[in-house]
Amino acid sequence: MFVRKNVTSLAPALAAVILLTAGCGGRGDAGSGSEKPASSATPHGYVEGAAEAAEQQSRLLLGDPGSGDTRVLDLITDKVHDAARRPGVTALTTDGRFGYFNGTDGTQVLDSGAWMVDHGDHVHYYRAKIQEVGEVPGGTGTSVRSDAGVTVVTSADGKASVYPRAELEKGALGTPARLPDTYAGPVVPYAEHLVALTGGSDGPAEVAVLDRSGKRVATHEAECEEPHGDAVTRRGIVLGCADGALLVDEDDGAFTAEKIPYGKDVPKAERAAEFRHRPGSSTLTAPAGKDAVWVLDVTEGAWTRVETGPVVAANTAGEGAPLMVLETDGALHGYDISAGKETTVTEPLLKDVPDAIGGPAAPVIEVDRSRAYLNDPEGKRVYEIDYNDDLRVARTFDLDVRPSLMVETGR
């Protein structure tokens, strides 16, 4: 069943996370690999070929589109690992474990060997060897979205294929299942289903809930005009639309769609089109033109526009943390989201900064529960930022490549 809602209130805040609690029920996130039943011989949380840790095992995947050089920076050991060269790569995304290097001829998959399994009341952290997985079809504009069971690759022409996650965890691509239709954006796995946008060529796109084979299983009334941008949060899937966002959620098998409107007409150049956030957070950020940032509080169902200087990159940890904005002066600026005021600014960290967000060499800000990471392609370094301490630079990692592309795994 698909229900359309117009309210903006959502469910209460999620339960607190307790690390490594012994009394875990089901398997949780299949991204952990092939777990075995708990017994005296196989401890709870056992994953073949991986070591369990008591803390997050973060790694940064770094790519240089110019040279094709790829590196994996282990943030626990400070060691830098080489990976296969990838000439022609134009974009890099991750699902928390695997890195997807998108090029003109295909998308290469790299297992970072770092991931987290969230069991609701506690989490498990794992580390394993870094390994190449292979290349999936799909050139420029290909999107990859994953959950515990599947990875969906959607090409620029709207065709989508579903890959079994268990095979990726074993280091192989497996045999994909091709979905029967074409779609108006990335197909997103969610709540053991697939959420897709259909139509949209000459009117608003419609939300469709599919089973894993692509069969439509829920009627749809929600529409999204000029869709662009998506994000998965604990509150549901957020889809960017011309008039704001559409939140798709599931509760006991019933899917709901809730509009979160801007509340006013927003010019196309100032709409949220690419969301960034801390995984696990329900606070999203997106550029609002050249000199402002949108902050979407999914829990409250409210947008806040924060006026800034010229924006190059932005992100936040949410939940009272500052909005971090890299501006064209090369400095990192911190803003109080509720007040819309700048609270701190660093010394210039980057010397050569693009004059706008976007492009293969534009820096990004990756955020986890305690630190943020800012890549400096021209300076061949990555900065680790303590955002809870006035944006203090905690560590600087000097590299032998230009880290123009960067994502964090292990979160």
Side-chain angles (χ1 to χ4, degrees):
M1 180 177 66
F2 196 103
V3 181
R4 184 174 183 177
K5 299 196 301 182
N6 292 318
V7 299
T8 56
S9 61
L10 294 169
L14 54 93
V17 173
I18 305 172
L19 297 181
L20 302 178
T21 300
C24 168
R27 174 177 172 180
D29 188 344
S32 64
S34 300
E35 288 190 34
K36 297 182 178 180
S39 71
S40 58
T42 56
H44 166 68
Y46 172 80
V47 176
E48 185 176 0
E52 186 172 1
E55 63 179 1
Q56 182 174 290
Q57 301 296 296
S58 293
R59 292 173 176 173
L60 296 179
L61 305 188
L62 306 166
D64 181 351
S67 67
D69 290 331
T70 304
R71 301 287 186 267
V72 181
L73 170 58
D74 191 318
L75 296 170
I76 303 300
T77 66
D78 294 353
K79 292 183 178 179
V80 179
H81 303 267
D82 292 344
R85 294 187 70 252
R86 294 173 166 81
V89 168
T90 57
L92 170 60
T93 58
T94 186
D95 55 20
R97 174 174 178 174
F98 296 92
Y100 302 98
F101 294 81
N102 182 226
T104 56
D105 299 322
T107 298
Q108 298 180 43
V109 185
L110 174 66
D111 185 349
S112 73
W115 69 95
M116 178 188 77
V117 178
D118 187 348
H119 284 235
D121 63 344
H122 70 283
V123 297
H124 295 269
Y125 298 108
Y126 296 96
R127 60 186 296 118
K129 66 179 182 179
I130 301 162
Q131 60 178 342
E132 302 288 339
V133 178
E135 182 174 279
V136 299
T140 303
T142 296
S143 302
V144 183
R145 304 290 185 266
S146 302
D147 71 356
V150 298
T151 292
V152 183
V153 179
T154 309
S155 61
D157 62 4
K159 297 178 180 179
S161 297
V162 181
Y163 289 80
R165 180 80 174 196
E167 293 299 314
L168 292 181
E169 294 163 4
K170 296 175 183 177
L173 295 176
T175 302
R178 176 67 62 84
L179 297 185
D181 297 319
T182 58
Y183 305 96
V187 176
V188 184
Y190 181 68
E192 300 183 359
H193 290 77
L194 305 174
V195 175
L197 290 170
T198 61
S201 59
D202 55 359
E206 297 177 331
V207 176
V209 179
L210 320 171
D211 66 16
R212 293 291 162 105
S213 69
K215 179 182 178 181
R216 187 173 299 192
V217 296
T219 58
H220 54 84
E221 298 177 0
E223 294 181 338
C224 182
E225 187 174 350
E226 299 180 35
H228 204 101
D230 62 276
V232 177
T233 75
R234 288 185 179 274
R235 303 295 181 180
I237 299 175
V238 175
L239 304 172
C241 308
D243 58 352
L246 188 65
L247 176 66
V248 179
D249 196 8
E250 180 270 347
D251 183 20
D252 196 25
F255 285 80
T256 60
E258 173 188 347
K259 265 296 178 62
I260 307 178
Y262 289 124
K264 61 180 181 180
D265 290 335
V266 175
K268 187 172 184 177
E270 298 179 9
R271 296 172 188 166
E274 182 179 353
F275 297 107
R276 298 191 68 85
H277 71 302
R278 175 181 63 78
S281 168
S282 57
T283 303
L284 308 182
T285 66
K290 295 183 178 180
D291 301 302
V293 174
W294 286 114
V295 179
L296 173 58
D297 186 328
V298 180
T299 301
E300 297 296 329
W303 295 90
T304 300
R305 179 185 169 102
V306 180
E307 302 295 333
T308 66
V311 179
V312 178
N315 210 336
T316 183
E319 302 169 2
L323 169 66
M324 292 170 282
V325 182
L326 175 67
E327 301 184 8
T328 53
D329 59 3
L332 197 59
H333 298 247
Y335 292 86
D336 181 296
I337 296 172
S338 59
K341 302 294 184 181
E342 183 176 275
T343 57
T344 187
V345 60
T346 68
E347 295 295 324
L349 300 176
L350 280 65
K351 292 183 179 180
D352 297 300
V353 186
D355 60 3
I357 281 184
V364 297
I365 302 171
E366 290 283 291
V367 182
D368 60 34
R369 289 186 176 275
S370 61
R371 294 288 189 268
Y373 297 91
L374 171 65
N375 56 327
D376 178 4
E378 295 298 327
K380 294 185 177 181
R381 63 176 64 92
V382 171
Y383 294 102
E384 180 182 75
I385 306 296
D386 185 348
Y387 53 78
N388 290 313
D389 189 12
D390 292 329
L391 306 186
R392 175 179 60 88
V393 176
R395 290 187 291 179
T396 301
F397 300 96
D398 293 314
L399 304 163
D400 63 345
V401 299
R402 291 164 49 96
S404 299
L405 304 175
M406 180 180 76
V407 295
E408 183 180 358
T409 65
R411 299 176 292 183

